[in-house]
Amino acid sequence: MQLVAPHPAFAQGTKAELEAYAVSTPERVEVVARPIDSFDLRDRAAQRFGALQFRSGLVLTSSFRGFGGLSALRLDPKGERFVAVSDRGSWFTGRIVYAGAAMTGLADVDAAPILGADGEPLTRRKWYDSESLAFDGGTAYVGYERVNQIVKFDFGRDGVRARGQPIAVPPGLRKLPNNKGIEALIVVPKGLPLAGTLIAISERGLDADRNILGFLIGGKTPGTFAIRRTEGYDISDAALLPAGDLLVLERKFSWLEGVHIRIRRIALTSLAPGATVDGPTLFTADLGHDIDNMEGIDVHRDEAGETVLTLVSDDNFSMLQRTLLLQFTLIQD
């Protein structure tokens, strides 16, 4: 039975709940995976959804209390090793196991607290809402809502034991509304427009025209831009396609219609200080599909050269929600 998920804004929890699900020490985690055989609950034979084709999906559960709340996910170039962050201030690392092109489970999963410069978990500073993640080689950036900070880690050297240092961020980012702060982080690699820029996109920080604020940090053209907000969708994450376009994962909720998700494609070349950008919708889904509170997206190419999108959901540590891992092939690359 598909359950209607609580609105994300209502699911952050009390202080006691936040602390209860935070990871205090590094631990190995056993994760059980149940396959999702069909993405469309109304037509189980359907495979094509807009510009995407369903590959496989997993429902993930664990007896480990701190497993869940996954808000961002980054994969290695093969789509196997992953680093994820929980919105309770935790790292999760591990490996996706495949049988051919289909995911079958997770292996070697470890959990650890995200540490501050003093070596103590950042949750002790009341920094819980780690909602976004980006990598620039071995350097990791984690975005925190509520405190409106971005923290930098030497992950390549120290892994989950890396100590974080907050970076300088634009004044507008520090003023984002409570619980509507940075939801997506991307570092643009060499060879693409905006190379070296850290792109930070808010969940629903709005400009004067009620479009969603984004920030270009560092690089040659730092500044503020906006993504046109339509149909009540908010941003939950973003990723870069190999050729450079931006994929933006969005969601919306209503008590009558439940959760909807959408993916838009935005040209990287359109991002510039002062610009308001938009792009075509590649994919939409609702509770007639096997979705939940989808919060993370990443992209890799498989051995056949196909572009694969991986989505992960944040279960908000709720009995009514699930941790899902979904993969699709992009048909229109």
Side-chain angles (χ1 to χ4, degrees), residues 232-244:
Y233 278 95
D234 297 331
I235 306 293
S236 57
D237 202 4
L240 279 179
L241 288 170

Side-chain angles (χ1 to χ4, degrees), residues 144-146 148 176-184 201-205:
Y144 280 81
E145 276 192 329
R146 299 181 188 264
N148 293 328
L176 290 170
N178 184 46
N179 202 29
K180 298 297 177 186
I182 296 303
E183 281 280 332
I201 306 172
S202 69
E203 179 180 2
R204 199 201 305 168

Side-chain angles (χ1 to χ4, degrees), residues 31-35 56-60 79-80 82 94-99 102-109 325 327:
V31 177
V32 176
R34 177 174 62 81
S56 65
L58 301 172
V59 181
L60 304 176
E80 295 177 355
F82 68 83
R95 176 170 55 88
I96 300 175
V97 180
Y98 293 88
M103 299 182 294
T104 60
L106 300 186
D108 307 326
V109 179
L325 196 64
Q327 283 193 339

Side-chain angles (χ1 to χ4, degrees), residues 71-72 74 129 131-134 141-145 148-150 169-170 172-173 176-177 179-188 194 197-206 211-217 223-229 233-240 245-251 264-268 270-272 275 277-278 295 297:
S71 295
R74 295 302 180 208
D129 280 351
E131 295 279 353
S132 49
L133 174 66
Y141 295 90
V142 176
Y144 280 81
E145 276 192 329
N148 293 328
Q149 297 270 8
I150 298 174
V169 297
L173 191 152
L176 290 170
N179 202 29
K180 298 297 177 186
I182 296 303
E183 281 280 332
L185 287 175
I186 295 169
V187 177
V188 183
L194 300 176
T197 302
L198 176 62
I199 301 173
I201 306 172
S202 69
E203 179 180 2
R204 199 201 305 168
L206 303 180
N211 293 314
I212 295 174
L213 287 168
F215 303 88
L216 304 174
I217 301 172
T224 302
F225 67 97
I227 296 177
R228 192 171 305 283
R229 185 171 188 250
Y233 278 95
D234 297 331
I235 306 293
S236 57
D237 202 4
L240 279 179
D245 283 354
L246 192 69
L247 293 184
V248 178
L249 174 64
E250 301 173 295
R251 66 186 170 193
R264 275 191 287 173
R265 182 172 186 163
I266 295 173
L268 188 61
S270 67
L271 271 61
V277 301
D278 200 350
E295 283 220 8
I297 185 172

Side-chain angles (χ1 to χ4, degrees), residues 147-187:
V147 295
N148 293 328
Q149 297 270 8
I150 298 174
V151 184
K152 179 180 179 180
F153 301 84
D154 191 345
F155 199 90
R157 185 187 68 188
D158 299 321
V160 297
R161 297 184 183 277
R163 299 184 178 193
Q165 293 282 355
I167 68 169
V169 297
L173 191 152
R174 296 300 305 273
K175 296 176 182 178
L176 290 170
N178 184 46
N179 202 29
K180 298 297 177 186
I182 296 303
E183 281 280 332
L185 287 175
I186 295 169
V187 177

